[in-house]
Amino acid sequence: KAGRNTYRIFSEDIRSSITESLHLISSLRQAVAQEEFVLHYQPVLDLRTGALIGAEALVRWQNPKLGMVSPGLFIALAEKSGLIVDIGQWVLNEACRQMQAWRTMGAGPLFVSVNLSPVQFSRGNIEAVIAHALQTTGLDHGQLELEVTESTLIADTEKFIVTLSRIQASGIRLAIDDFGTGYSNLSYLQRFPVHKLKIDQSFVRRLLQGEKDVAMVSAIIHLAHSLGLKVTAEGVENEATSEALRGMGCDQGQGYLYARPMPADDFEAYWRARA
Ligand code: C2E
Ligand code: CA
Ligand code: CA
Ligand code: CA
């Protein structure tokens, strides 16, 4: 009954979604030019002592019309269009600048974690961008941590291993983000100079629900420790989970239980209150 009409409606839908994403890409391009981005910072705590040890920098897009846009809504598009190279460069510069400013205000040598997209490795001159961010801001190399996902490491060309090794040799730390959700072949852990594994939220959230998740998390923690790596649990939302993680020997925690990602001013008040 709907025959041709269905086809027409369907094609209208596709057309409007294409128009929508083209529109979004052009807004994003403008956002890059006009620096409409801000960083929020989420505290990372030492699970044993409860001390604040660092923060993950998380980008938000503050659009005059759309309001605050979360990265889940624009990172994929930014990657497809290549705009992530410029956005990522801005994020690195801003995160380093901010952390160095806090350092000179009396914050301890907290680390700042920056998320890197695989596209920044394949299309951007990532080493030069990182070096520039550290040089112009004066941030200590040891205070910068870079988060890459397993899928970034799977595309392991010789060149890529050399790049990451040089980055690590300069004192910058590398963390594997969303660990456990990517690939079952873990051989890359031996090839890459990794410092830390971040256990994906999906395991952490289910931790109190089933034995299998306990086994997974516990296995990841043991794997990390036996390779000399640190472990961070992400997405810790309640005290019982935090307690369980501590009991399993997990080093660091991040999640709504401790604090949500917050604007720079709030994070400054946060570290001052804890200093
Ligand atoms: P991610 O790197 O896995 O970051 C953690 C996400 O989990 C953040 O979402 C954070 O707000 C959220 N989160 C933290 N604690 C909790 C918790 O206890 N419960 C729950 N339910 N969620 C929690 P956000 O800020 O929306 O970022 C989403 C993703 O966008 C990030 O996931 C990351 O993959 C990407 N992203 C964010 N900033 C950047 C960036 O500067 N560059 C790139 N390439 N990607 C970014
Ligand atoms: Ca991350
Ligand atoms: Ca993550
Ligand atoms: Ca994620």
Side-chain angles (χ1 to χ4, degrees):
K1 181 180 155 204
R4 284 174 199 158
N5 285 343
T6 306
Y7 175 75
R8 252 175 89 120
I9 291 163
F10 184 55
S11 98
E12 282 301 322
D13 276 358
I14 289 177
R15 188 182 319 159
S16 79
S17 91
I18 290 173
T19 322
E20 217 168 79
S21 67
L22 284 178
H23 182 71
L24 208 55
I25 289 175
S26 88
S27 316
L28 249 189
R29 192 164 283 128
Q30 252 185 320
V32 171
Q34 294 167 8
E35 300 201 348
E36 291 174 359
F37 301 101
V38 288
L39 293 183
H40 282 189
Y41 297 86
Q42 185 175 32
V44 178
L45 307 190
D46 181 317
L47 275 182
R48 247 182 337 105
T49 64
L52 173 68
I53 52 176
E56 178 171 3
L58 294 157
V59 72
R60 274 94 182 89
W61 172 18
Q62 225 161 10
N63 182 269
K65 279 197 213 119
L66 302 169
M68 191 77 93
V69 186
S70 87
L73 293 171
F74 69 86
I75 292 288
L77 200 61
E79 288 179 331
K80 267 187 222 131
S81 59
L83 287 167
I84 193 69
V85 172
D86 290 337
I87 298 172
Q89 180 167 2
W90 180 86
V91 169
L92 257 170
N93 285 327
E94 176 58 15
C96 292
R97 184 203 64 73
Q98 182 63 80
M99 193 45 85
Q100 178 61 8
W102 285 331
R103 184 89 174 101
T104 59
M105 288 176 197
L110 304 174
F111 67 78
V112 64
S113 260
V114 172
N115 292 283
L116 292 186
S117 156
V119 180
Q120 290 175 268
F121 286 94
S122 57
R123 290 213 224 163
N125 186 357
I126 192 68
E127 269 186 277
V129 168
I130 294 167
H132 179 263
L134 288 168
Q135 232 159 52
T136 53
T137 62
L139 186 74
D140 192 284
H141 286 60
Q143 281 184 260
L144 179 61
E145 184 173 281
L146 303 174
E147 298 191 6
V148 298
T149 57
E150 292 172 295
S151 55
T152 309
L153 299 182
I154 287 313
D156 71 321
T157 57
E158 244 349 276
K159 181 170 159 264
F160 186 49
I161 297 181
V162 171
T163 301
L164 282 180
S165 302
R166 272 204 299 255
I167 289 173
Q168 186 258 3
S170 77
I172 297 165
R173 294 156 169 188
L174 291 174
I176 311 290
D177 202 2
D178 304 344
F179 186 79
T181 59
Y183 293 82
S184 51
N185 183 349
L186 296 176
S187 61
Y188 70 84
L189 285 177
Q190 296 174 308
R191 293 199 300 278
F192 291 106
V194 173
H195 171 78
K196 182 195 277 189
L197 302 184
K198 297 191 79 173
I199 307 177
D200 190 66
Q201 324 194 349
S202 56
F203 300 117
V204 176
R205 206 167 312 133
R206 292 190 309 251
L207 195 55
L208 302 174
Q209 289 168 21
E211 278 169 35
K212 285 190 176 153
D213 294 292
V214 173
M216 283 290 303
V217 170
S218 162
I220 294 173
I221 293 169
H222 282 108
L223 171 71
H225 287 166
S226 64
L227 292 169
L229 312 179
K230 296 271 184 231
V231 201
T232 305
E234 286 192 299
V236 182
E237 292 186 348
N238 54 62
E239 192 54 60
T241 303
S242 180
E243 202 49 58
L245 287 162
R246 215 181 347 254
M248 287 186 228
C250 186
D251 305 291
Q252 306 173 359
Q254 181 182 343
Y256 293 172
L257 171 67
Y258 315 113
R260 293 192 173 236
M262 55 185 105
D265 286 351
D266 293 355
F267 187 77
E268 183 184 330
Y270 184 90
W271 67 253
R272 282 190 191 283
R274 294 181 147 245

